[in-house]
Amino acid sequence: MSKQPLLSVGMAATMLAQFFSAFADNAIFFAILAFIKQLHYPEWSQSALQIGFVIPFILLSPFVGQFADSMSKGKAMMIANGVKLLGAAIICLNINPFLGYFLVGVGAAGYSPAKYGILGELTSGDNLVKANGLIEASTIAAILLGSLAGGHIADLDITLALLTCVVMYGLAVIANIFIPKLPAARQDIEWKFMSMIKDFAKTFKIIFNNKQALYTLLGTSLFWGAGITLRFLLISWVPIVLGITDNSTPTNLNAVVAIGIVIGAALASALVSISNTLRCIPAGILMGFAVIAFTLQSNMISSYILLVVIGALGGYFLVPLNALIQKMGKELVGAGSVISIQNLSEYSAMMIMLSAYTLAVAGGLSVITIGVGFGMLFAILIAFVWLGLKSHAKH
């Protein structure tokens, strides 16, 4: 497997499937926001919609890793994208947007362990970092284009925006067909509820007893918790600081962050190897201070520049840590299983940070105060991760 070129047919199919799936994931978020506004749902329903998407990642975390490892990863990705397709179709048929988006979350929860787990099966060594860079670049490009498409097409026609998502999920399913039928990572999985819970608990214990894995998981979890909070911070920041009340400006600012992450992911692929992943951690600390600097801006140009910087620092920070998690997971418990633990950790961090953000807003704190406090806390926590990983490396 190590002699296989980085850009194999399997890797190309995986990248395409990820692009189409991530494009639809982000387009459908902004399309549904426009849809529920059109239906005159209350404002709090926007965060409820996001929570409904996140909950499956937490509830299904004991099962999705074993689901991914029990069969060919390409087949698992195809099933998961099929569930996303069903959820999008339910929204298009005007059955219930919350049920539809919940099903998209169920599909995404099942898709994630297979998507990342397959990279360790398609490639290895330093190519694993490069493969993660390609996947992250593909993902963020999809986030960029999907976010813009979802918002702008919805301004023209909400039904067209939702149908676009259905088509993209369909293309993802087709791309999954071309992924090689790799053997299942594990043959010992029992499809019994209590057996799967016990297996997950065993995996959880193995991962959390490994200090390197624990601190690496904390790092990736903080990143994604910060990322989802930054999205809502931007939505609140634009009208208050810039005085702009349209829907496209927050979408454009989120897209600018995505451009930065593509740049950072590319730099990490070129400059960081699996043996020196610690060099990525300072970028996470700097990202916290960049968020503080951004929050204090009132000029559009400097705001765009700082958002590119935030994204680049985040991409450079995230890619090597994901590769390290996959390497350790493959060695310890199976790639899919460790990523199910990663999902539990990351989406729990999202719930915690979003809840803290909601409480801060409800408590009357200004967006600037929240942004400064959030950036400082993030930098401190990443410094703690850095110290933990350095201490582990010494031993």
Side-chain angles (χ1 to χ4, degrees):
M1 187 66 68
S2 60
K3 295 180 180 178
Q4 189 173 2
L6 178 62
L7 285 175
S8 61
V9 172
M11 183 62 67
T14 300
M15 286 178 61
L16 282 173
Q18 172 58 13
F19 177 84
F20 292 135
S21 190
F23 181 102
D25 285 347
N26 288 273
I28 203 168
F29 173 75
F30 291 102
I32 298 176
L33 285 183
F35 186 45
I36 62 176
K37 285 180 184 177
Q38 185 185 65
L39 297 175
H40 305 294
Y41 279 87
E43 190 172 347
W44 57 262
S45 64
Q46 296 182 18
S47 57
L49 187 74
Q50 186 70 63
I51 289 170
F53 179 86
V54 168
I55 284 174
F57 283 86
I58 298 172
L59 294 181
L60 298 178
S61 56
F63 314 108
V64 291
Q66 297 173 69
F67 166 75
D69 283 339
S70 69
M71 65 185 76
S72 166
K73 295 292 193 299
K75 181 180 178 181
M77 292 167 71
M78 185 164 59
I79 293 171
N81 276 324
V83 175
K84 291 184 183 183
L85 179 60
L86 175 62
I90 285 175
I91 299 167
C92 279
L93 294 171
N94 200 19
I95 295 173
N96 186 293
F98 293 91
L99 172 61
Y101 200 49
F102 175 81
L103 284 176
V104 172
V106 170
Y111 183 80
S112 181
K115 172 189 73 175
Y116 283 113
I118 197 173
L119 297 183
E121 298 176 3
L122 291 172
T123 187
S124 61
D126 286 343
N127 269 353
L128 187 56
V129 177
K130 292 181 173 62
N132 270 274
L134 289 173
I135 286 292
E136 290 301 332
S138 174
T139 301
I140 302 306
I143 291 172
L144 167 63
L145 296 173
S147 298
L148 291 173
H152 288 282
I153 296 175
D155 282 341
L156 298 174
D157 189 302
I158 293 173
T159 301
L160 178 61
L162 292 170
L163 285 173
T164 300
C165 299
V166 170
V167 170
M168 296 301 282
Y169 283 134
L171 290 173
V173 171
I174 293 170
N176 290 144
I177 296 171
F178 295 93
I179 296 175
K181 302 298 186 291
L182 300 168
R186 296 176 57 187
Q187 305 291 338
D188 62 336
I189 293 174
E190 294 183 58
W191 289 100
K192 297 178 182 178
F193 181 79
M194 287 310 300
S195 294
M196 297 183 81
I197 292 291
K198 289 177 181 178
D199 192 86
F200 180 77
K202 180 182 176 182
T203 302
F204 187 92
K205 184 177 180 180
I206 291 171
I207 294 299
F208 276 77
N209 281 338
N210 185 305
K211 297 301 181 184
Q212 187 180 26
L214 179 62
Y215 283 112
T216 305
L217 272 179
L218 180 58
T220 62
S221 299
L222 287 170
F223 173 86
W224 287 112
I228 198 167
T229 306
L230 181 61
R231 171 183 273 186
F232 284 92
L233 183 67
L234 280 173
I235 292 171
S236 300
W237 181 85
V238 167
I240 292 173
V241 176
L242 299 181
I244 299 172
T245 57
D246 61 23
N247 294 315
S248 60
T249 300
T251 301
N252 293 339
L253 291 173
N254 274 285
V256 168
V257 177
I259 292 172
I261 295 179
V262 172
I263 295 169
L267 289 173
S269 297
L271 302 176
V272 183
S273 70
I274 201 72
S275 60
N276 60 8
T277 49
L278 277 181
R279 67 168 56 176
C280 77
I281 305 295
I285 298 172
L286 291 174
M287 178 182 162
F289 289 109
V291 169
I292 295 173
F294 164 77
T295 306
L296 299 174
Q297 297 303 307
S298 58
N299 177 270
M300 182 67 83
I301 295 176
S302 60
S303 298
Y304 273 98
I305 292 171
L306 276 167
L307 286 174
V308 172
V309 171
I310 290 170
L313 291 170
Y316 190 86
F317 170 76
L318 179 66
V319 166
L321 292 186
N322 271 340
L324 187 59
I325 283 288
Q326 290 152 31
K327 176 178 179 293
M328 288 186 291
K330 189 177 179 182
E331 295 169 352
L332 292 171
V333 292
S337 293
V338 75
I339 291 168
S340 68
I341 299 290
Q342 187 177 7
N343 277 344
L344 175 63
S345 178
E346 291 176 356
Y347 281 87
S348 295
M350 290 183 193
M351 291 287 285
I352 291 168
M353 290 193 184
L354 272 178
S355 298
Y357 175 79
T358 303
L359 289 173
V361 172
L365 293 179
S366 70
V367 171
I368 293 176
T369 301
I370 294 171
V372 170
F374 167 72
M376 184 61 68
L377 179 62
F378 182 79
I380 291 170
L381 290 174
I382 296 301
F384 172 76
V385 170
W386 194 19
L387 291 174
L389 285 172
K390 287 179 71 175
S391 175
H392 174 82
K394 288 179 181 179
H395 294 90

